[in-house]
């Protein structure tokens, strides 16, 4: 374990030396980051034990304005490399996934897209992580459990374009100061992930499509947002030739909806902040694997270390989890998996932070026989 973590840190340092001259040319910029989790299952779950995960991000962005080509354009490429274990699968048995960097241990071109801005309209096309645009909560982003990133009523019911594997999609976004309207259409299915390589035939809507529509409304206190409300609906359509009554396509079409809000109760001129969030997801389909989700949390920023960078947060989430009967034609209630997460993000030096994290997971639903689990994580983040 120590060797794994040390090798990942050294890899991050090496990346830093490679891109040290970033920002010299604003037209073409490079960035890299390293995330490393040490995950310990102290009690319950599948078995007690410890494992580690490492994630290296590399990105490059070409701004056509700065390159003096044309106005409003951006070419973006994002590669990542994941190494290490799978704590939820090997130790914990939870289905919501305790570490949000737990993914395929491989190298992927994660994103490759072009965006064009025309006044208050922005268009995206390419390999794209929809969770960068849809279902985004600023206050929930500090938590390490993956459910706070995107509702299980979306991620567990659909093979959608999110970490660790994206797919081809297009997004149109219209923004004003207080209101945004966003629509997206994505290829459905992740068959190419199992092939361990990029295959264009899996990106041409062969198995169907997944679409989203989201409305965002903001209430501002001066230039600062005091509250933000987001409501979204989704629609999945499986192709006629796709096999039905499978876990990926239990029925030909399926709807879902979600709502989330970020609210700031207090923010001082020195950056101290008390904020909260609420997330809900609902998938009313007859064969929904996760028909309902609720998450909520409270965040304290800048209170303990006296600067606005440290963040102490506690949150609760619960998701109803169903499962298939043997004939794969009907779902029945399995259990509701719930969790409490306490986390504290501590800035160390400029772009380096540590984040100790505790999670108590009730009724883990990812592995039969899993017991309530008490889990600890320690995340190291280095941003170059």
């Amino acid at each position: 374990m120590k060797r794994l973590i040390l090798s990942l840190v050294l890899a991050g340092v090496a990346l830093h030396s490679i891109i040290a001259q970033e920002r010299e040319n604003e037209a073409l910029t490079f960035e890299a980051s390293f995330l490393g989790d040490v995950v310990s299952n102290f009690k319950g779950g599948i078995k007690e034990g410890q494992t580690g995960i490492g994630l290296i991000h590399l990105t490059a962005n070409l701004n056509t304005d700065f390159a003096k080509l044309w106005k409003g354009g951006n070419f973006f490429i994002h590669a990542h490399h994941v190494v290490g274990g799978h704590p939820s699968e090997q130790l914990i048995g939870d289905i919501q996934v305790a570490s949000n960097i737990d993914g395929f241990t491989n190298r992927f071109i994660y994103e490759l897209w072009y965006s064009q801005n025309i006044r208050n309209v922005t268009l995206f096309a390419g390999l794209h992580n929809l969770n960068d645009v849809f279902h985004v909560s600023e206050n929930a982003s500090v938590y390490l459990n993956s459910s706070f990133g995107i509702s299980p009523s979306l991620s567990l019911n659909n093979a959608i374009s999110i970490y660790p594997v994206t797919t081809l999609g297009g997004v149109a976004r219209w923004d004003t100061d207080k209101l945004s309207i966003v629509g997206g259409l994505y290829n459905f299915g992740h068959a190419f992930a199992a092939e361990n390589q990029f295959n264009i035939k899996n990106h041409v809507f062969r198995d169907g499509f997944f679409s989203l529509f989201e409305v965002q409304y903001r209430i501002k206190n001066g230039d600062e947002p005091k509250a933000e409300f987001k409501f979204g609906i989704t629609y999945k359509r499986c192709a006629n030739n796709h096999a039905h009554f499978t876990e990926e396509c239990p029925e030909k079409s399926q709807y879902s909806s979600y709502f989330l809000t970020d609210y700031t109760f207090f923010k001082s001129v020195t950056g101290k902040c008390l904020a909260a969030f609420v997330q809900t997801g609902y998938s009313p389909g007859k064969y929904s694997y996760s028909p309902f989700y609720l998450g909520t949390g409270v965040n304290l920023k800048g209170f303990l270390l006296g600067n606005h960078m440290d963040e102490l947060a506690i949150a609760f989430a619960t998701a109803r989890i169903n499962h298939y009967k043997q004939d794969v034609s009907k779902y029945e209630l399995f259990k509701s998996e719930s969790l409490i997460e306490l986390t504290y993000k501590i800035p160390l030096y400029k772009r380096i932070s540590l984040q100790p994290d505790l999670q108590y997971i009730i009724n883990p639903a990812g592995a039969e026989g899993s017991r309530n689990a008490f889990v600890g994580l320690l995340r190291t983040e280095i941003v170059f």
Side-chain angles (χ1 to χ4, degrees):
M1 175 63 58
K2 291 181 179 178
R3 290 181 179 178
L4 171 63
I5 301 302
L6 179 60
S7 64
L8 292 172
V9 172
L10 291 175
V13 173
L15 288 173
H16 177 50
S17 65
I18 292 173
I19 62 164
Q21 60 255 33
E22 70 167 312
R23 308 291 182 191
E24 289 184 2
N25 184 351
E26 290 184 333
L28 181 62
T29 58
F30 300 92
E31 292 185 0
S33 66
F34 163 77
L35 295 175
D37 284 353
V38 177
V39 184
S40 300
N41 184 31
F42 301 123
K43 186 176 181 180
I46 300 172
K47 63 179 181 180
E48 296 177 9
Q50 185 181 82
T51 189
I53 315 170
L55 174 61
I56 295 174
H57 288 288
L58 292 171
T59 67
N61 187 82
L62 174 64
N63 184 297
T64 61
D65 282 294
F66 292 134
K68 299 180 180 180
L69 298 174
W70 60 86
K71 292 185 178 295
N74 274 289
F75 291 95
F76 182 78
I77 185 169
H78 180 182
H80 68 203
H81 179 39
V82 187
V83 294
H86 301 283
S88 288
E89 178 183 346
Q90 298 167 346
L91 302 175
I92 306 167
D94 62 322
I95 203 164
Q96 297 185 73
V97 187
S99 171
N100 55 17
I101 64 171
D102 190 348
F104 295 99
T105 53
N106 215 314
R107 300 175 181 87
F108 277 100
I109 296 297
Y110 177 49
E111 294 185 277
L112 178 62
W113 49 259
Y114 172 74
S115 70
Q116 180 64 49
N117 177 257
I118 306 171
R119 295 184 180 178
N120 58 345
V121 174
T122 306
L123 304 174
F124 297 83
L127 293 175
H128 182 256
N129 176 12
L130 67 82
N131 197 206
D132 286 341
V133 176
F134 298 93
H135 201 290
V136 178
S137 167
E138 179 183 352
N139 293 324
S141 64
V142 71
Y143 297 93
L144 303 189
N145 191 285
S146 65
S147 282
F148 297 116
I150 190 162
S151 166
S153 62
L154 272 71
S155 61
L156 294 182
N157 291 326
N158 310 285
I160 57 177
S161 186
I162 55 175
Y163 177 85
V165 183
T166 58
T167 187
L168 184 66
V171 177
R173 180 185 185 105
W174 177 78
D175 291 296
T176 66
D177 189 45
K178 293 185 177 180
L179 181 67
S180 296
I181 299 175
V182 194
L185 181 69
Y186 291 85
N187 177 64
F188 177 72
H190 286 161
F192 60 94
E195 297 172 1
N196 201 22
Q197 62 182 355
F198 182 88
N199 191 332
I200 191 63
K201 72 179 182 180
N202 292 316
H203 288 273
V204 290
F205 300 90
R206 182 184 65 177
D207 295 324
F209 67 86
F210 182 77
S211 60
L212 306 89
F213 179 81
E214 182 176 295
V215 177
Q216 307 170 2
Y217 180 73
R218 293 169 288 277
I219 298 174
K220 289 195 169 185
N221 182 11
D223 293 332
E224 295 285 335
K226 182 178 180 61
E228 187 167 27
F229 306 92
K230 299 180 180 180
F231 174 76
I233 56 174
T234 76
Y235 175 66
K236 176 179 71 179
R237 177 76 175 187
C238 295
N240 291 330
N241 61 351
H242 190 82
H244 299 305
F245 294 119
T246 64
E247 291 193 22
E248 190 177 56
C249 265
E251 50 191 328
K252 193 169 184 178
S253 60
Q254 197 169 27
Y255 296 89
S256 69
S257 62
Y258 60 88
F259 171 80
L260 57 92
T261 181
D262 285 303
Y263 192 87
T264 300
F265 295 99
F266 163 80
K267 188 169 185 179
S268 71
V269 293
T270 60
K272 292 182 178 180
C273 178
L274 171 63
F277 74 93
V278 176
Q279 303 169 323
T280 62
Y282 178 57
S283 179
K286 184 178 179 181
Y287 303 107
S288 291
Y289 188 69
S290 179
F292 176 76
Y293 166 77
L294 170 66
T296 184
V298 178
N299 301 31
L300 287 170
K301 302 179 183 180
F303 279 84
L304 298 184
L305 293 184
N307 68 68
H308 66 281
M309 298 298 292
D310 75 299
E311 187 166 2
L312 177 67
I314 187 169
F316 169 80
T318 185
R320 174 174 167 172
I321 307 297
N322 295 332
H323 75 111
Y324 279 109
K325 289 188 172 181
Q326 289 184 348
D327 60 3
V328 199
S329 62
K330 185 179 180 180
Y331 274 132
E332 63 180 12
L333 175 63
F334 181 42
K335 59 175 70 176
S336 291
E337 181 181 283
S338 305
L339 68 102
I340 300 170
E341 179 174 355
L342 175 66
T343 194
Y344 183 43
K345 189 169 185 179
I346 310 164
L348 295 181
Y349 176 73
K350 293 184 178 179
R351 300 189 179 189
I352 302 175
S353 66
L354 284 180
Q355 186 169 352
D357 183 276
L358 294 173
Q359 298 181 30
Y360 185 67
I361 299 170
I362 305 164
N363 292 328
E368 188 175 351
S370 298
R371 299 158 293 158
N372 293 354
F374 181 47
V375 180
L377 298 89
L378 179 62
R379 172 164 294 182
T380 302
E381 181 177 3
I382 305 171
V383 180
F384 303 110

